[in-house]
Amino acid sequence: MSGRKAGIRAGAAISCVLLLGGCGGAGNNGSARHEPVTVAKAPAQLPVPRGKGSKSADDFNGDGLRDLVLNDLVKSPDDAHGDDAGIGIVYGTGAGAGAGAGAGTTHGLAPGARQLLNPARQAARTKGRSPAVFDAEASCDLDRDGFTDLVVSTDPPYDGQGRPPVPLQILFGSPAGLTGRAVRLVIPAAARAGNDWPDQPVCGDFDGDGAEDLVVHASDGRLSYLRGPFTRKGAPRAAGKPLPSPGTVPTGPALDVNRDGYDDLLVRTAEGPATSALVLGSPAGPTRTGTALPSGIDVALGPFGRGRALDAAVGSMDGTSLRYDLPTAVRDSISTPGSVLDAGDFDGDGVSELVSSGAELRILRGRTTGLSATGMVTVPPPARGTTRVLTVADFTGDGRADLVVRTYDGETKDTVAVYAGSKEALVTAKPTVTFSTSEFLGMNS
């Protein structure tokens, strides 16, 4: 199987700004709205809150609050080279991240309300065997029941002859979260092309009918387009011939770049430094190639100024190249270190900030005239080690994005930290939530 991973924003190549927000920075004077939960005093495991269904993104239990997905959990020191532990889910709760620790009633992530998705328990088996690989790839409500579903990649057996099997599976959300076994994603033979592994799933409403669709890499510059809604057996409503593609790496999240009512997606020509292009949605799906973007390591989309359409920022080692008001190819540039980008409206003013990470994590302010390095915020790492951005999204429901980062100290130690969005300072000076993925070790979810 190809080693490519779309990721569930643990380094995905494109960021949706309209839905995201929030970073913390050094030198700001924001204050946390509730006491941070440190790793040492993280609450004991709590039951997953039961929901009734919602339209919120990444809301697996349908209670209206966004949940966090974690791949590559740290391992036990006694099993540092063992199999992947699985996928971690941290649920949002109305009691906030300090649930069980006397933190009040602020909405937010609650490390105590956590769930471990293990391939032995949750994956669909092939010939009676569970897969060894079980990685989160994309999330959306595929069956339109009000509960977000999770698309995961696996490693089904393949003898190298002919067309490989579909490695993708779907875990369906429910009032209790992601429960039960996954089902295999059905990709009709007519929707496939060539003999590449069908991977890189991207969710989006590409035909504008209100149902979430899936786009999956096929082969030979083609995309498999699967129209939603999907059945509980993993089958799409319809799927036609593969669509032409300007590259081989479809990248999420998808969003309506030109505001025509159809979601669009970014497709890169390769992993790593590469050119990319927008593929525009239509009543027939993502059929038209739009604006081409220059070569870069990462791309972030969002309203960085006051314009009708979105803007694109391309991160490279030489700085950040910007194209304003997509799909028009108007170019500008700013000089900022860091090649991995994300974006979100941290102060809730309707204009997005740009997060640039490399040796340091910085936030450039979005203004009505565009991005500005004036007043740039530097975010201090929450612990010793290598810090990476996990996601930018509104976990508290206050209309401002929050920044979630992860600091690694080898394979057995890490710290996940949430910096809440701040109207005055973009993000809080200190994390409002911290925990370690080691808390998932030994769980029997």
Side-chain angles (χ1 to χ4, degrees):
M1 187 195 315
S2 165
R4 296 175 307 182
K5 290 171 74 175
I8 195 149
R9 201 47 200 165
I14 179 175
S15 306
C16 174
V17 163
L18 296 180
L19 302 177
L20 306 182
C23 275
N28 64 19
N29 56 9
S31 59
R33 294 190 300 166
H34 49 74
E35 180 185 358
V37 177
T38 65
V39 174
K41 62 178 182 180
Q45 187 173 359
L46 301 172
V48 173
R50 294 188 65 87
K52 297 181 179 180
S54 80
K55 295 183 179 180
S56 298
D58 290 345
D59 183 11
F60 303 110
N61 58 334
D63 64 350
L65 297 172
R66 186 185 288 261
D67 310 315
L68 177 67
V69 182
L70 296 158
N71 276 322
D72 303 319
L73 307 178
V74 298
K75 302 174 182 178
S76 165
D78 299 327
D79 191 28
H81 302 290
D83 292 338
D84 191 339
I87 303 166
I89 308 293
V90 177
Y91 288 87
T93 76
T105 58
T106 302
H107 291 179
L109 292 173
R114 57 189 182 269
Q115 181 184 30
L116 176 64
L117 305 177
N118 185 288
R121 293 187 297 270
Q122 273 83 31
R125 295 188 176 99
T126 301
K127 298 180 179 179
R129 299 180 62 180
S130 298
V133 173
F134 203 57
D135 291 326
E137 297 285 356
S139 60
C140 56
D141 185 2
L142 291 170
D143 59 351
R144 301 187 73 176
D145 65 350
F147 303 92
T148 301
D149 311 309
L150 187 66
V151 183
V152 300
S153 63
T154 66
D155 58 343
Y158 174 54
D159 61 7
Q161 303 298 314
R163 181 170 286 176
V166 176
L168 302 174
Q169 300 185 6
I170 303 172
L171 277 164
F172 288 100
S174 74
L178 294 167
T179 59
R181 284 200 178 270
V183 300
R184 297 179 185 86
L185 174 66
V186 177
I187 303 180
R192 297 188 63 175
N195 290 327
D196 282 1
W197 285 90
D199 58 7
Q200 304 289 349
V202 178
C203 292
D205 182 10
F206 301 107
D207 57 5
D209 67 351
E212 290 286 341
D213 313 313
L214 278 178
V215 164
V216 177
H217 162 71
S219 300
D220 305 321
R222 295 290 188 270
L223 298 174
S224 294
Y225 170 48
L226 311 176
R227 292 178 183 258
F230 288 69
T231 70
R232 298 291 293 221
K233 293 183 178 180
R237 176 176 62 86
K241 294 181 179 179
L243 301 176
S245 170
T248 60
V249 187
T251 308
L255 60 159
D256 186 2
V257 171
N258 54 3
R259 310 292 175 84
D260 65 352
Y262 307 99
D263 279 346
D264 315 306
L265 76 153
L266 189 81
V267 178
R268 298 172 64 81
T269 55
E271 289 189 320
T275 58
S276 57
L278 290 169
V279 177
L280 304 178
S282 71
T287 58
R288 300 174 295 140
T289 298
T291 304
L293 298 174
S295 181
I297 297 173
D298 206 358
V299 178
L301 303 179
F304 299 122
R306 295 289 188 186
R308 177 178 176 273
L310 301 189
D311 312 314
V314 180
S316 68
M317 301 309 294
D318 298 327
T320 301
S321 174
L322 301 177
R323 289 184 176 226
Y324 284 99
D325 292 335
L326 292 173
T328 306
V330 177
R331 188 184 302 229
D332 194 1
S333 64
I334 58 176
S335 178
T336 177
S339 56
V340 180
L341 306 178
D342 213 319
D345 182 7
F346 302 120
D347 54 7
D349 66 352
V351 178
S352 289
E353 281 71 46
L354 179 69
V355 181
S356 177
S357 61
E360 289 188 302
L361 183 58
R362 298 175 173 88
I363 307 172
L364 282 75
R365 291 180 180 271
R367 303 186 186 278
T368 56
T369 55
L371 290 171
S372 173
T374 302
M376 181 171 59
V377 171
T378 300
V379 182
R384 184 175 63 183
T386 302
T387 298
R388 295 287 183 266
V389 176
L390 280 180
T391 191
V392 180
D394 181 7
F395 288 97
T396 59
D398 62 358
R400 295 190 290 269
D402 310 307
L403 174 69
V404 184
V405 303
R406 185 175 178 183
T407 298
Y408 300 82
D409 186 6
E411 291 187 323
T412 61
K413 295 181 181 179
D414 74 345
T415 300
V416 178
V418 181
Y419 296 83
S422 169
K423 182 177 181 179
E424 296 80 16
L426 296 185
V427 293
T428 52
K430 296 181 179 180
T432 55
V433 180
T434 61
F435 63 94
S436 170
T437 66
S438 63
E439 294 169 22
F440 291 93
L441 295 177
M443 288 184 60
N444 294 311
S445 110

